[in-house]
Amino acid sequence: MKVEETYSYKTSSSKLVQVAEIASRYKGRPEMLMKVIIQVQKIVPAFSASVASVIAREMGIPQTDVYSFVTFYAMLSVKPRGKYIIRMCKSAPCHVKGAKEIVRALEDLLHIKMGETTEDNRFTLEYCPCLGICEVSPAIMINEKTYGNLTPDSVRSIVKMYIREEVED
Ligand code: FES
């Protein structure tokens, strides 16, 4: 999602209704902001002040939190990214439960490092903030699906399903 420097991009009211509908499903759950942003990204071409304010209002979180999240995320999104974006949770509970081994397994399997995209543009590896499923850490998200309780073996099996295109997106 493109972040307008001045946040002056105007979003139509019908799109804002859709944004509100998405964000309201996660009222009082700030940890789901990432999921909301990913879904909103599909319906609005650029981030605007009104989008941020609708998300903040519907989720019951400060608007500045929405801005910092999107700005952080936009920095990661400038490079071309793959069809499947594998996001590794970088927050402490996942770290403690072995995120490092999961990252190693992913990098070895795909022959790329975190932050990179495979040459065939199918996979991108990147870090993200807490996915909101710490109870099953370590966790990843592939596009919009989350996977938890991972081990190096299980994450390899999951990604291999994507390599073979056996997962409906
Ligand atoms: S810390 Fe990884 S999902 Fe929350």
Side-chain angles (χ1 to χ4, degrees), residues 84-88 102-112 114 118 120 122-125 139-143 145 147 150-167:
Y84 298 116
I85 300 174
I86 306 178
R87 301 178 175 95
M88 176 79 230
I102 303 304
V103 166
R104 199 170 305 134
L106 288 168
E107 290 182 335
D108 287 351
L109 179 64
L110 297 172
H111 303 290
I112 53 171
M114 295 303 286
T118 54
D120 61 3
R122 287 181 70 211
F123 294 93
T124 296
L125 287 181
I140 60 167
M141 186 183 239
I142 304 184
N143 291 356
K145 290 200 170 92
Y147 299 91
L150 295 172
T151 63
D153 277 346
S154 69
V155 82
R156 274 191 287 267
S157 310
I158 291 164
V159 174
K160 281 178 186 169
M161 290 193 306
Y162 284 84
I163 292 174
R164 296 191 298 263
E165 299 284 349
E166 287 174 359
V167 179

Side-chain angles (χ1 to χ4, degrees), residues 31 88-95 128-140:
E31 76 281 4
M88 176 79 230
C89 169
K90 208 178 183 211
S91 299
C94 279
H95 181 75
C128 68
C130 176
L131 292 166
I133 49 169
C134 319
E135 66 283 3
V136 293
S137 54
I140 60 167

